[in-house]
Structures are given as structure tokens and as C-alpha cells.
Amino acid sequence: VVVAKLNMAELAWGATTQNATYGACRNPWDLDRIPGGSSGGSGAALAARYCEASLGTDTGASVRIPASLNGVVGIRPTFGAISNRGVHPVAYTQDTVGPMAPLAVDVARLTEVLICADPEDPYSLSGHGRPATSLIGTPIGGLRIGLPSTFFFDDIDPAVASRIDDFLAWLTASGAVVVPVDDFGQAGGFEHWTRIVQCEGAALHQDRIRESPDDFSPDVLARISAGLDVSAIDLARSLDWRERYRHRLDEVFNDVDVIVTPVVPIDVPFADGLDSRAQTQALGRITYPWALHAGPTLTLPIGFHQESGLPVGVALSAGRWDEARLFQVAAAYQRETTWHDVLPPLDPPAQENADE
């Protein structure tokens, strides 16, 4: 049952959902803060329990960031697993549709329904993974959990790091084995993701950029227009880098079942203006390496920031077509914790002239 259409960042370009055209969306946990983006309305509606599940799109982090900032579960699936037919594109070779819900079990059910090869989507793929719900209820003891030794934890907010440490302690107590993961080139993700997405976005909007630039907000226009100035040689290098990077990650996932990283390295930002490029870069800095991965990454709520009280999420990544492994871990965690049951302190607005 479709309840509503939800707000989002303009053209799905941005991580704050401070939409200059349709108005800003705020975070139910603190109305002075952003809900993340670009699928901010999807995350906010779930946090406020306006619906039981929602859909977002994830090109760079547009499901994972709002899921984390609103305290719900969201997944960027294996690229090509869920059809993009009917979705207005941002970047054809990076766009994914991602289910979201408070409960990992519900996200798994929705993912299982949506994963299907679509002959009408040229980027749709036929996969060979297990059904998304197939490992739910299976103990996680013995799983090999990879923990990167570089990049992802650089300059992380101490309170975010503390929550991730608690999650790693839970994994160990549950019988999983945490092992270090060597650098796999993740620091290059920001540069190459940005170049690919800006070029594909510019190609999609080239005529509108030149003929009616006032149709765009200044932030979004600047992002998309940057793709017009990228040389074909640089784009070719980035496309080649992405393929080699994906092969390196395939090798990593031959040795570990899941990799654990922060979703975002900072606390939930305040909504202090229109969608700024600086906020988007700060939120997306460590999400882009997983956007370039061909496999799935899931956001799982793991508690609240010790100072602000805002939600904190952790990113779980697995090999191609291994969504089931992520849901196995996420559902096991939610069976033993209650973070997902906590609701934001939503106070109804004061009613004037209530008697009237």
C-alpha cells in the first residue's frame, strides 16, 4: 500500500535534502538537523513511523546516509540487482534502488521481492545469490569480519567510533572473528566516483544546463556542470580504475564475509542553509568507495551519539550478490538489541484556538 511520495534532494544530487524547489526536509530526531540525502524523506518518514518501509536511490550514498542519520536500516544492493526502470537517472552506471525500513527483516523481504532481472533495463543483471532472507536466524559464529586498517576511520568523531567499537565487541561476543583488511585503494574512491558521476550527470542534463541553467539550484548546477569540463582521457582512467578496484574487492571478499566501516564519520549536521557542497562532501567522504563496489552495503542503526543523542549507523559490506549475508548479521543484531525500537521525541505542534 503506497502511502505517500516523499521529499528528496533536488534531482537526487546531494546528501542533505534541503531542497530549494520543494522545501527542506528535517530530521525527526532533531528538527534543527538534516535527514541526510538524497533520499532524506524516505529516512525521515521511517524514523517518524509514518510508513513501514520506503524506497530510496543510492548513487553515492543516498540510501545509506539517510538510513544512518535517521536510525533505520537501508541497503545499496548489488549493482544491477534491482531494476532502475522508471527511475529518473543520476548516473546510469552507478544508480541503484535501495529498500529501507526500521527492521532488517523487513528490508530483507522487500529486497528479495525486488531483486529480479528486467529485460527493459539495460543495466539489469541476472544474479546467482541466495535469497535475501535465506540466512536470517542462522548464527553468526565463525563469520570472518574484515576491519580496514586505513582511510575509513581517519578523523572519525570519537562518539561515532565508540558506537562502532561496541558493535565490534558484540560481533566478537557472538563468535565472529574480526580480522584486519589491508588497504584496497579506497582512498581513490572520492576522486573517481566524482568524475564518473559528474560526467554521466552532465551528459543527461547537458541541454538543460546550457539552455535553462536557472532551472537548477546553484549547488546542483555547480555539481552537474563540472562534468562538462572533464576530459575524455580522465574519464577513461576513472572507468578503468573502477573496474580494477572492483576486482581487488572481489579478492578481499574471498577471504572475509563482511567488512565493517562507519557510514559517515561525523555527527548529524545542522540544517544551516541550502544543500551545500561542503556538507555533502563531509557526509559522503567514506561512502563513495562502497558506491564503486559492485556488491551490497547495508546501513544498520547501532545506537546514539553520546553527546547529541542522534542516531549512529554502521556500514556492512559483502561480496557481489551476497545480500543474504548482510541481513544475517543485521537481523541477529536486532534480535539482541533494542535500538531500532526507540522512537524520536516527536512533539505535536501547539494548537492555537483549539476550541474553534
Side-chain angles (χ1 to χ4, degrees):
V1 177
V2 177
V3 177
K5 294 182 179 181
L6 299 167
N7 204 350
M8 59 183 289
E10 178 186 342
L11 294 176
W13 279 75
T16 69
T17 312
Q18 305 308 290
N19 191 313
T21 301
Y22 288 101
C25 181
R26 297 296 177 91
N27 192 311
W29 292 97
D30 182 344
L31 298 181
D32 291 327
R33 308 213 187 206
I34 65 169
S38 59
S39 306
S42 298
L46 290 169
R49 298 303 193 265
Y50 288 169
C51 55
E52 294 186 31
S54 64
L55 295 177
T57 57
D58 191 309
T59 302
S62 293
V63 165
R64 291 165 288 144
I65 287 177
S68 180
L69 271 53
N70 289 281
V72 299
V73 178
I75 189 168
R76 174 188 170 90
T78 297
F79 180 77
I82 296 176
S83 175
N84 286 335
R85 178 160 50 100
V87 176
H88 189 81
V90 173
Y92 285 119
T93 68
Q94 285 290 146
D95 293 345
T96 62
V97 171
M100 305 165 69
L103 293 176
V105 171
D106 289 339
V107 179
R109 290 169 177 160
L110 189 51
T111 301
E112 190 168 306
V113 169
L114 291 173
I115 287 181
C116 182
D118 180 2
E120 296 188 38
D121 174 8
Y123 293 93
S124 177
L125 301 173
S126 297
H128 304 286
R130 293 166 289 201
T133 62
S134 61
L135 296 178
I136 290 177
T138 304
I140 67 169
L143 292 185
R144 290 177 59 82
I145 307 297
L147 190 66
S149 56
T150 59
F151 180 72
F152 289 102
F153 291 89
D154 295 347
D155 301 319
I156 188 173
D157 183 301
V160 174
S162 177
R163 284 303 181 194
I164 294 177
D165 287 342
D166 292 341
F167 178 72
L168 292 169
W170 172 82
L171 286 169
T172 301
S174 300
V177 180
V178 178
V179 299
V181 172
D182 292 336
D183 191 291
F184 46 86
Q186 58 266 35
F190 180 87
E191 173 191 349
H192 295 289
W193 178 91
T194 300
R195 184 173 293 132
I196 292 167
V197 171
Q198 284 181 338
C199 287
E200 293 188 3
L204 286 161
H205 296 281
Q206 181 178 15
D207 292 341
R208 291 184 60 211
I209 291 171
R210 291 173 172 169
E211 296 171 6
S212 51
D214 291 341
D215 287 354
F216 304 90
S217 68
D219 282 344
V220 172
L221 179 63
R223 288 194 193 96
I224 299 179
S225 298
L228 298 174
D229 299 324
V230 176
S231 73
I233 291 174
D234 286 340
L235 176 59
R237 287 171 177 158
S238 288
L239 293 172
D240 178 69
W241 187 93
R242 182 176 63 184
E243 290 307 307
R244 295 177 186 277
Y245 174 78
R246 287 176 171 177
H247 281 286
R248 288 196 298 272
L249 271 172
D250 289 342
E251 293 297 319
V252 172
F253 284 113
N254 285 334
D255 188 52
V256 298
D257 298 294
V258 174
I259 292 178
V260 171
T261 57
V263 181
V264 296
I266 60 175
D267 195 10
V268 181
F270 286 94
D272 55 359
L274 295 179
D275 190 352
S276 75
R277 299 179 75 177
Q279 275 191 334
T280 294
Q281 289 179 358
L283 288 166
R285 178 174 65 85
I286 60 175
T287 65
Y288 298 145
W290 294 124
L292 293 169
H293 173 39
T297 297
L298 178 144
T299 292
L300 176 67
I302 55 172
F304 298 91
H305 193 282
Q306 295 165 349
E307 296 177 7
S308 70
L310 275 292
V312 174
V314 68
L316 308 177
S317 302
R320 305 186 201 211
W321 302 103
D322 205 7
E323 283 79 2
R325 185 66 71 192
L326 301 182
F327 290 120
Q328 176 191 8
V329 176
Y333 181 76
Q334 290 193 322
R335 283 197 304 272
E336 298 183 19
T337 60
T338 58
W339 300 120
H340 54 282
D341 292 327
V342 182
L343 298 177
L346 290 174
D347 295 323
Q351 291 183 335
E352 297 181 3
N353 302 320
D355 293 340
E356 297 179 6

Coordinates of all heavy atoms in Angstrom, one line a residue, residues 50-114:
Y50 N 5.9 7.0 9.9 CA 4.8 7.4 9.0 C 4.5 6.2 8.0 O 3.4 6.2 7.4 CB 5.1 8.6 8.2 CG 5.1 9.9 8.9 CD1 5.6 11.1 8.4 CD2 4.6 10.0 10.2 CE1 5.6 12.3 9.1 CE2 4.6 11.2 10.9 CZ 5.1 12.3 10.3 OH 5.1 13.5 11.0
C51 N 5.4 5.3 7.9 CA 5.2 4.2 7.0 C 6.1 3.0 7.5 O 6.9 3.2 8.4 CB 5.6 4.5 5.6 SG 7.3 5.2 5.4
E52 N 5.9 1.8 7.0 CA 6.6 0.7 7.4 C 7.9 0.4 6.6 O 8.8 -0.3 7.1 CB 5.7 -0.6 7.4 CG 4.6 -0.5 8.4 CD 3.8 -1.7 8.5 OE1 4.3 -2.8 8.3 OE2 2.5 -1.7 8.8
A53 N 7.9 0.8 5.4 CA 9.0 0.6 4.5 C 9.0 1.7 3.5 O 8.0 2.4 3.2 CB 9.0 -0.7 3.9
S54 N 10.2 2.0 2.9 CA 10.3 3.0 1.9 C 11.4 2.6 0.9 O 12.1 1.7 1.1 CB 10.6 4.4 2.5 OG 11.8 4.4 3.1
L55 N 11.4 3.3 -0.2 CA 12.4 3.1 -1.2 C 13.2 4.4 -1.4 O 12.7 5.5 -1.3 CB 11.8 2.8 -2.6 CG 11.1 1.4 -2.7 CD1 10.5 1.3 -4.1 CD2 12.0 0.3 -2.4
G56 N 14.5 4.2 -1.6 CA 15.4 5.4 -2.0 C 16.2 5.0 -3.2 O 16.1 3.8 -3.7
T57 N 17.0 5.9 -3.6 CA 18.0 5.5 -4.6 C 19.4 5.9 -4.1 O 19.5 6.8 -3.3 CB 17.8 6.3 -6.0 OG1 17.8 7.7 -5.7 CG2 16.4 5.9 -6.6
D58 N 20.4 5.1 -4.5 CA 21.7 5.3 -4.0 C 22.7 5.3 -5.1 O 22.9 4.2 -5.8 CB 22.0 4.1 -3.0 CG 23.3 4.3 -2.2 OD1 24.3 4.6 -2.8 OD2 23.3 4.2 -1.0
T59 N 23.2 6.4 -5.4 CA 24.3 6.6 -6.5 C 25.6 6.7 -5.8 O 26.6 6.1 -6.3 CB 24.0 7.8 -7.4 OG1 22.7 7.6 -8.0 CG2 25.0 8.0 -8.4
G60 N 25.7 7.5 -4.7 CA 26.9 7.7 -4.0 C 26.7 7.3 -2.5 O 27.7 6.8 -1.9
A61 N 25.5 7.5 -2.0 CA 25.2 7.1 -0.6 C 23.8 7.5 -0.2 O 23.5 7.6 0.9 CB 26.2 7.8 0.4
S62 N 22.9 7.7 -1.2 CA 21.7 8.4 -1.0 C 20.6 7.5 -0.3 O 19.5 8.0 0.0 CB 21.1 8.9 -2.3 OG 21.9 9.9 -2.8
V63 N 20.9 6.2 -0.1 CA 20.1 5.4 0.9 C 20.8 5.3 2.2 O 20.2 5.4 3.3 CB 19.8 4.0 0.2 CG1 19.3 3.1 1.3 CG2 18.8 4.1 -0.9
R64 N 22.1 5.0 2.1 CA 22.9 4.7 3.3 C 23.0 5.9 4.3 O 22.9 5.7 5.5 CB 24.3 4.2 2.9 CG 24.2 2.8 2.2 CD 25.5 2.5 1.5 NE 25.7 3.3 0.3 CZ 26.9 3.8 -0.1 NH1 28.0 3.5 0.6 NH2 26.9 4.5 -1.2
I65 N 23.2 7.1 3.8 CA 23.3 8.3 4.6 C 22.0 8.5 5.4 O 22.0 8.7 6.6 CB 23.8 9.5 3.9 CG1 25.3 9.3 3.5 CG2 23.6 10.8 4.7 CD1 25.9 10.4 2.7
P66 N 20.9 8.7 4.7 CA 19.6 9.0 5.4 C 19.2 7.8 6.3 O 18.6 8.0 7.4 CB 18.6 9.2 4.3 CG 19.2 8.6 3.1 CD 20.7 8.8 3.2
A67 N 19.6 6.6 6.0 CA 19.3 5.5 6.9 C 20.1 5.7 8.2 O 19.5 5.5 9.3 CB 19.6 4.1 6.2
S68 N 21.3 6.0 8.1 CA 22.2 6.2 9.2 C 21.7 7.4 10.1 O 21.6 7.3 11.3 CB 23.6 6.4 8.8 OG 24.5 6.6 9.9
L69 N 21.4 8.5 9.4 CA 21.1 9.7 10.2 C 19.7 9.7 10.8 O 19.4 10.5 11.7 CB 21.2 11.0 9.2 CG 22.6 11.6 9.2 CD1 23.7 10.7 8.8 CD2 22.6 12.8 8.2
N70 N 18.9 8.8 10.3 CA 17.5 8.7 10.9 C 17.3 7.4 11.7 O 16.3 7.2 12.3 CB 16.5 8.7 9.8 CG 16.3 10.0 9.1 OD1 15.7 10.9 9.7 ND2 17.0 10.2 8.0
G71 N 18.4 6.6 11.8 CA 18.3 5.4 12.7 C 17.5 4.3 12.2 O 16.8 3.6 12.9
V72 N 17.6 4.0 10.8 CA 16.8 2.9 10.2 C 17.8 2.0 9.4 O 19.0 2.4 9.2 CB 15.6 3.3 9.4 CG1 14.7 4.1 10.3 CG2 16.1 4.2 8.2
V73 N 17.3 0.9 8.9 CA 18.1 0.0 8.0 C 17.9 0.4 6.6 O 16.7 0.6 6.1 CB 17.7 -1.4 8.3 CG1 18.5 -2.4 7.4 CG2 17.9 -1.8 9.7
G74 N 19.0 0.4 5.8 CA 18.8 0.7 4.4 C 20.0 0.0 3.6 O 21.0 -0.3 4.2
I75 N 19.7 -0.4 2.4 CA 20.7 -1.2 1.7 C 20.9 -0.6 0.3 O 19.9 -0.3 -0.4 CB 20.4 -2.7 1.6 CG1 21.5 -3.5 1.0 CG2 19.1 -2.9 0.8 CD1 21.4 -5.0 1.2
R76 N 22.2 -0.5 -0.1 CA 22.5 -0.3 -1.5 C 22.8 -1.7 -2.0 O 23.8 -2.4 -1.6 CB 23.8 0.5 -1.7 CG 24.3 0.6 -3.1 CD 25.6 1.3 -3.2 NE 26.2 1.1 -4.6 CZ 25.9 2.0 -5.6 NH1 25.2 3.0 -5.4 NH2 26.4 1.8 -6.8
P77 N 22.0 -2.3 -2.9 CA 22.1 -3.7 -3.3 C 23.3 -3.8 -4.3 O 23.9 -2.8 -4.8 CB 20.8 -4.0 -3.9 CG 20.3 -2.7 -4.5 CD 20.8 -1.6 -3.6
T78 N 23.5 -5.1 -4.7 CA 24.5 -5.3 -5.8 C 24.0 -4.5 -7.0 O 22.8 -4.5 -7.4 CB 24.4 -6.8 -6.1 OG1 24.9 -7.6 -5.0 CG2 25.3 -7.1 -7.3
F79 N 25.0 -3.9 -7.7 CA 24.6 -3.1 -8.8 C 24.0 -4.0 -9.9 O 24.5 -5.0 -10.3 CB 25.8 -2.4 -9.4 CG 25.5 -1.6 -10.6 CD1 24.9 -0.3 -10.5 CD2 25.8 -2.1 -11.9 CE1 24.6 0.4 -11.6 CE2 25.4 -1.3 -13.0 CZ 24.9 -0.1 -12.9
G80 N 22.8 -3.5 -10.4 CA 22.1 -4.3 -11.4 C 21.1 -5.3 -10.8 O 20.4 -5.9 -11.6
A81 N 21.1 -5.5 -9.5 CA 20.2 -6.5 -8.9 C 18.7 -6.1 -9.0 O 17.8 -6.9 -9.2 CB 20.6 -6.8 -7.5
I82 N 18.5 -4.8 -8.7 CA 17.1 -4.2 -8.7 C 17.0 -3.3 -9.9 O 17.8 -2.4 -10.1 CB 16.8 -3.5 -7.4 CG1 16.9 -4.5 -6.2 CG2 15.4 -2.8 -7.4 CD1 16.7 -3.8 -4.8
S83 N 15.9 -3.5 -10.6 CA 15.7 -2.7 -11.8 C 15.6 -1.2 -11.5 O 14.9 -0.8 -10.6 CB 14.4 -3.1 -12.6 OG 14.1 -2.3 -13.7
N84 N 16.2 -0.4 -12.4 CA 16.1 1.1 -12.3 C 15.0 1.6 -13.3 O 14.9 2.8 -13.4 CB 17.4 1.7 -12.7 CG 18.4 1.6 -11.5 OD1 18.0 1.4 -10.4 ND2 19.7 1.7 -11.9
R85 N 14.3 0.7 -13.9 CA 13.2 1.2 -14.9 C 12.2 2.1 -14.2 O 11.7 1.8 -13.1 CB 12.5 0.0 -15.5 CG 11.4 0.3 -16.5 CD 11.1 -0.9 -17.4 NE 10.9 -2.1 -16.7 CZ 9.7 -2.6 -16.4 NH1 8.6 -1.9 -16.7 NH2 9.5 -3.7 -15.7
G86 N 12.0 3.2 -14.8 CA 11.1 4.2 -14.2 C 11.7 5.2 -13.3 O 11.1 6.2 -12.8
V87 N 13.0 5.0 -12.9 CA 13.7 5.9 -12.0 C 14.4 7.0 -12.9 O 15.2 6.6 -13.8 CB 14.7 5.2 -11.2 CG1 15.5 6.1 -10.3 CG2 14.0 4.2 -10.3
H88 N 14.2 8.3 -12.6 CA 15.0 9.3 -13.3 C 16.4 9.2 -12.9 O 16.8 9.2 -11.7 CB 14.5 10.7 -12.9 CG 15.0 11.8 -13.8 ND1 14.5 12.0 -15.0 CD2 16.1 12.6 -13.6 CE1 15.3 13.0 -15.6 NE2 16.2 13.4 -14.7
P89 N 17.3 9.0 -13.9 CA 18.7 8.7 -13.6 C 19.5 9.9 -13.1 O 19.2 11.0 -13.3 CB 19.3 8.2 -14.9 CG 18.4 8.9 -15.9 CD 17.1 9.0 -15.3
V90 N 20.6 9.5 -12.3 CA 21.6 10.4 -11.9 C 22.9 10.1 -12.8 O 23.4 10.9 -13.5 CB 21.9 10.4 -10.4 CG1 23.2 11.3 -10.1 CG2 20.8 10.9 -9.6
A91 N 23.2 8.8 -12.6 CA 24.4 8.3 -13.4 C 24.1 6.8 -13.7 O 24.0 6.0 -12.8 CB 25.7 8.4 -12.6
Y92 N 23.9 6.5 -14.9 CA 23.5 5.2 -15.3 C 24.3 4.0 -14.7 O 23.7 3.0 -14.4 CB 23.5 5.0 -16.8 CG 22.3 5.8 -17.5 CD1 22.6 6.8 -18.5 CD2 21.0 5.4 -17.3 CE1 21.6 7.5 -19.1 CE2 20.0 6.1 -18.0 CZ 20.3 7.1 -18.9 OH 19.3 7.8 -19.5
T93 N 25.6 4.2 -14.7 CA 26.5 3.1 -14.3 C 26.7 3.1 -12.8 O 27.5 2.3 -12.3 CB 27.8 3.1 -15.0 OG1 28.6 4.3 -14.5 CG2 27.6 3.2 -16.5
Q94 N 26.0 3.9 -12.0 CA 26.2 4.0 -10.6 C 24.8 3.9 -9.8 O 24.8 3.6 -8.6 CB 26.9 5.2 -10.1 CG 28.4 5.2 -10.4 CD 29.2 4.2 -9.5 OE1 30.1 3.6 -9.9 NE2 28.7 4.0 -8.3
D95 N 23.7 4.1 -10.5 CA 22.4 4.2 -9.8 C 21.9 2.9 -9.3 O 22.0 1.9 -10.0 CB 21.4 4.8 -10.7 CG 21.6 6.2 -11.1 OD1 22.4 6.9 -10.4 OD2 21.0 6.7 -12.1
T96 N 21.4 2.8 -8.1 CA 20.7 1.7 -7.5 C 19.5 2.1 -6.8 O 19.4 3.2 -6.3 CB 21.6 0.9 -6.6 OG1 21.9 1.7 -5.4 CG2 22.9 0.4 -7.2
V97 N 18.5 1.2 -6.7 CA 17.3 1.4 -5.9 C 17.5 0.6 -4.6 O 18.0 -0.5 -4.6 CB 16.0 0.9 -6.6 CG1 14.9 0.9 -5.6 CG2 15.7 1.8 -7.8
G98 N 17.3 1.3 -3.5 CA 17.5 0.6 -2.2 C 16.4 0.7 -1.2 O 15.8 1.7 -0.9
P99 N 15.9 -0.5 -0.7 CA 14.8 -0.6 0.3 C 15.3 -0.1 1.6 O 16.5 -0.2 2.0 CB 14.5 -2.0 0.3 CG 15.1 -2.6 -0.9 CD 16.3 -1.8 -1.2
M100 N 14.4 0.5 2.4 CA 14.7 1.0 3.8 C 13.5 0.6 4.7 O 12.3 0.6 4.3 CB 14.8 2.5 3.7 CG 15.9 3.0 2.8 SD 15.8 4.7 2.4 CE 16.3 5.4 4.0
A101 N 13.8 0.4 6.0 CA 12.8 0.1 7.0 C 13.4 0.1 8.3 O 14.7 -0.1 8.4 CB 12.1 -1.3 6.7
P102 N 12.7 0.2 9.4 CA 13.3 0.1 10.8 C 13.9 -1.3 11.0 O 14.9 -1.4 11.8 CB 12.1 0.4 11.7 CG 11.2 1.2 10.9 CD 11.3 0.6 9.5
L103 N 13.3 -2.3 10.5 CA 13.7 -3.7 10.8 C 14.5 -4.3 9.6 O 14.0 -4.2 8.5 CB 12.5 -4.6 11.1 CG 11.8 -4.3 12.4 CD1 10.6 -5.2 12.5 CD2 12.7 -4.4 13.6
A104 N 15.6 -4.9 9.9 CA 16.4 -5.6 8.8 C 15.6 -6.7 8.2 O 15.7 -6.9 7.0 CB 17.7 -6.2 9.4
V105 N 14.8 -7.4 8.9 CA 14.0 -8.5 8.4 C 13.0 -7.9 7.3 O 12.9 -8.5 6.2 CB 13.2 -9.2 9.5 CG1 12.2 -10.2 8.9 CG2 14.1 -9.9 10.4
D106 N 12.4 -6.8 7.5 CA 11.5 -6.2 6.5 C 12.3 -5.7 5.3 O 11.8 -5.9 4.2 CB 10.8 -5.0 7.2 CG 9.7 -5.5 8.2 OD1 9.3 -6.7 8.1 OD2 9.3 -4.7 9.0
V107 N 13.5 -5.1 5.5 CA 14.3 -4.7 4.3 C 14.7 -6.0 3.5 O 14.7 -5.9 2.3 CB 15.5 -3.9 4.8 CG1 16.4 -3.6 3.6 CG2 15.1 -2.7 5.6
A108 N 15.0 -7.1 4.2 CA 15.4 -8.3 3.5 C 14.2 -8.8 2.7 O 14.4 -9.2 1.5 CB 15.8 -9.3 4.5
R109 N 13.0 -8.8 3.2 CA 11.8 -9.3 2.5 C 11.6 -8.4 1.3 O 11.3 -8.9 0.2 CB 10.6 -9.2 3.4 CG 10.6 -10.3 4.5 CD 9.5 -10.0 5.5 NE 9.5 -11.1 6.5 CZ 8.9 -11.0 7.7 NH1 8.3 -9.8 8.0 NH2 8.9 -12.0 8.6
L110 N 11.7 -7.1 1.4 CA 11.5 -6.2 0.3 C 12.5 -6.4 -0.8 O 12.3 -6.4 -2.0 CB 11.4 -4.8 0.8 CG 11.0 -3.7 -0.2 CD1 9.7 -4.0 -0.9 CD2 10.8 -2.3 0.5
T111 N 13.8 -6.5 -0.3 CA 14.9 -6.7 -1.2 C 14.7 -8.0 -2.0 O 14.9 -8.0 -3.3 CB 16.2 -6.8 -0.5 OG1 16.4 -5.6 0.2 CG2 17.4 -7.0 -1.4
E112 N 14.3 -9.1 -1.4 CA 14.0 -10.3 -2.0 C 13.0 -10.2 -3.1 O 13.1 -10.9 -4.2 CB 13.7 -11.4 -1.0 CG 13.6 -12.8 -1.5 CD 13.5 -13.8 -0.4 OE1 14.4 -13.8 0.5 OE2 12.6 -14.7 -0.4
V113 N 11.9 -9.5 -2.8 CA 10.9 -9.3 -3.8 C 11.4 -8.5 -5.0 O 11.0 -8.8 -6.2 CB 9.7 -8.6 -3.2 CG1 8.7 -8.1 -4.2 CG2 9.0 -9.5 -2.2
L114 N 12.2 -7.5 -4.8 CA 12.6 -6.5 -5.8 C 13.7 -7.1 -6.7 O 13.9 -6.6 -7.8 CB 13.0 -5.2 -5.2 CG 11.9 -4.4 -4.6 CD1 12.5 -3.2 -3.8 CD2 10.9 -3.9 -5.6

